[in-house]
């Protein structure tokens, strides 16, 4: 197989990562597989980068599950109905986020980016994102140091 985008053919596409964009939730994404890029009907996959010290906006993905594989760096994530739970994931670890679960991921490092591969059951790159700004006020940032 060659690298790069191939002429659309039924059944298989090879796609180079495309130019980054900042999603509604605040992350930098490099879309690869999606309804927009290849006509996917049920999933999308993309690269995520969280620059040093950055965090997303509190959000959820309405009716869609998310799977993440951390390639490099260490990310923290507040999650739950009131962002009351906290988890940490680093390089080589997988993360699962159930549909409709509020979450707020962030980069724990001030010097190293977090890079991850994300797959979601929503074929559209941003359609299921629901911002939850009211939840951000109650985040216990002291847990980020745990």
């Amino acid at each position: 197989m060659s690298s790069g985008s191939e002429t659309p053919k039924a059944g298989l596409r090879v796609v180079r990562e495309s130019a980054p964009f900042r999603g509604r939730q605040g992350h930098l994404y490099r879309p690869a597989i999606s309804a927009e890029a290849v006509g996917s009907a049920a999933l999308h996959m993309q690269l995520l980068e969280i620059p040093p010290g950055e965090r997303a906006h509190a959000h959820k993905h309405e009716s869609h599950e998310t799977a993440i594989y951390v390639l490099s760096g260490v990310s923290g994530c507040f999650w739950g109905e009131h962002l009351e739970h906290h988890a940490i994931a680093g390089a080589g670890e997988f993360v699962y986020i159930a549909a409709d679960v509020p979450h707020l991921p962030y980069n724990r490092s001030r010097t190293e980016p977090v890079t991850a591969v994300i797959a979601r059951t929503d074929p559209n790159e941003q359609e299921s994102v629901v911002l939850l700004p009211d939840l951000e006020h109650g985040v216990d940032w002291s847990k980020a140091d745990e």
Side-chain angles (χ1 to χ4, degrees):
M1 288 190 166
S2 67
S3 62
S5 293
E6 300 292 325
T7 303
K9 296 179 183 167
L12 189 140
R13 290 279 305 271
V14 176
V15 180
R16 283 191 183 128
E17 68 181 68
S18 57
F21 74 95
R22 194 160 296 268
R24 285 188 292 217
Q25 61 271 55
H27 290 313
L28 281 175
Y29 292 105
R30 292 184 181 273
I33 306 300
S34 66
E36 295 86 351
V38 299
S40 173
L43 65 87
H44 88 261
M45 180 183 281
Q46 57 196 3
L47 287 176
L48 158 73
E49 181 178 324
I50 307 175
E54 277 198 15
R55 67 177 182 87
H57 302 296
H59 66 283
K60 66 179 181 176
H61 299 276
E62 199 165 54
S63 304
H64 293 284
E65 298 172 295
T66 301
I68 302 166
Y69 179 72
V70 182
L71 296 168
S72 63
V74 179
S75 177
C77 188
F78 290 94
W79 64 278
E81 288 304 312
H82 303 287
L83 301 179
E84 68 274 19
H85 305 293
H86 185 256
I88 297 170
E93 295 183 304
F94 291 88
V95 177
Y96 169 76
I97 304 172
D100 297 303
V101 171
H103 54 287
L104 189 162
Y106 65 96
N107 185 338
R108 291 176 54 92
S109 173
R110 298 272 177 219
T111 58
E112 300 295 321
V114 171
T115 304
V117 175
I118 293 184
R120 191 169 296 116
T121 58
D122 182 351
N124 300 293
E125 293 164 1
Q126 291 282 292
E127 291 300 312
S128 68
V129 175
V130 176
L131 296 177
L132 304 166
D134 292 344
L135 293 182
E136 294 184 30
H137 304 294
V139 173
D140 181 359
W141 284 100
S142 68
K143 290 182 181 180
D145 296 326
E146 296 175 352

